[in-house]
Amino acid sequence: VQLQASGGGLVQPGGSLRLSCVASGFTLDRYAVGWFRSEYEAISCISSSIASNVEGTYYADFVKGRFTISRDNTSNTVYLQMNSVKPEDTGVYYCRAKFGRYGCPYEYDYVGQGTQVTVSS
């Protein structure tokens, strides 16, 4: 049972990357999933309200309009599409998952290893 993050790398400013967070041993569809750069810095999260069956997303202010988080239940994966990247996007990105939570998983059941994103010319 694990989460595996991948897709990081070196990219020039203005370029794009797509991060993937794949779950094995459990299904992600009822989990809140978030991408974090540190213990408390949530970059983007996706979660569903069980009561209303509404899916919500969160984006840190500095990535709004550039990053898109999405969920693919058939592949048990959450993606973070990073467009128009900037040097300040540089960091190690971790994905976390928390069962049944609506909102970002600051507390989590699972965390994947980090994937390094470096934005530099």
Side-chain angles (χ1 to χ4, degrees):
V1 177
Q2 64 176 357
L3 283 177
Q4 185 165 0
S6 64
L10 174 64
V11 60
Q12 292 186 341
S16 297
L17 280 176
R18 188 175 76 162
L19 306 185
S20 299
C21 178
V22 183
S24 59
F26 66 102
T27 56
L28 274 178
D29 60 348
R30 295 186 67 187
Y31 282 75
V33 180
W35 289 96
F36 287 73
R37 258 192 334 193
S38 68
E39 187 69 22
Y40 300 109
E41 185 185 17
I43 303 302
S44 182
C45 309
I46 188 166
S47 60
S48 299
S49 168
I50 297 175
S52 64
N53 202 30
V54 171
E55 189 162 76
T57 56
Y58 164 82
Y59 297 95
D61 286 344
F62 75 98
V63 306
K64 286 180 180 176
R66 300 188 296 120
F67 291 10
T68 303
I69 193 168
S70 61
R71 187 196 299 269
D72 181 353
N73 290 333
T74 60
S75 63
N76 214 22
T77 303
V78 169
Y79 299 101
L80 183 67
Q81 179 67 43
M82 306 169 67
N83 295 332
S84 302
V85 295
K86 302 177 181 181
E88 51 262 46
D89 298 328
T90 294
V92 179
Y93 285 67
Y94 302 86
C95 62
R96 298 178 184 169
K98 176 67 175 176
F99 180 77
R101 176 173 175 79
Y102 187 64
C104 285
Y106 289 96
E107 296 180 347
Y108 50 90
D109 298 319
Y110 304 103
V111 59
Q113 86 290 356
T115 185
Q116 175 71 45
V117 172
T118 303
V119 183
S120 174
S121 55

